[in-house]
Amino acid sequence: MDVASERQIMNQQSLETTRRNAAAKLHPAVLTTTNFVRSILGYLVGETWTDPYLSGLACDADGYLYVQEDGNPFFGRVLCTRLAVIETILQLTHAVELSPRERTYLLQRIPPAIRRARRPLAGAGEE
């Protein structure tokens, strides 16, 4: 095995350790939250803490969150924004003493906002 392959395996193991540590600190037995927050946290750490559980998360160009429940092929818009999820994660960082690495892991799992396609300006490119 070459050095690059060994590093990749070590990084994957480290990432899994970070995920497990964050999941342990955010587990419903440790942290009391609403079912909605629990479902989002479970999704972010790859755990099934609610029934149904979230199998997908997306964000539109305006920052609104869309969730996909397990077994449902469609995403539904919820009254929550990407920014609100980020703020909640940052608040929980202090409440459950997430490490900077655990916090970063969670924040990176929040999908970015989808950018709108830009329309060409009227008359652009015409001579």
Side-chain angles (χ1 to χ4, degrees), residues 51-122:
D51 185 25
Y53 63 90
L54 298 184
S55 58
L57 198 60
C59 187
D60 72 10
D62 294 323
Y64 286 98
L65 216 54
Y66 289 76
V67 297
Q68 181 182 35
E69 292 180 337
D70 181 53
N72 188 338
F74 304 104
F75 280 79
R77 182 174 171 185
V78 294
L79 297 176
C80 183
T81 63
R82 182 177 189 275
L83 181 58
V85 172
I86 291 170
E87 289 172 346
T88 300
I89 296 300
L90 293 176
Q91 290 171 358
L92 290 174
T93 296
H94 299 292
V96 297
E97 299 180 2
L98 292 175
S99 71
R101 185 175 179 92
E102 294 159 353
R103 180 188 67 226
T104 300
Y105 174 83
L106 291 173
L107 292 174
Q108 288 177 341
R109 300 259 305 145
I110 301 169
I114 298 170
R115 295 182 183 219
R116 288 190 178 103
R118 294 180 67 191
R119 295 183 191 175
L121 297 173

Side-chain angles (χ1 to χ4, degrees), residues 18-36:
T18 301
R19 184 200 71 76
R20 281 191 313 236
N21 290 344
K25 291 177 182 178
L26 296 169
H27 192 277
V30 176
L31 180 68
T32 303
T33 65
T34 65
N35 202 46
F36 178 69

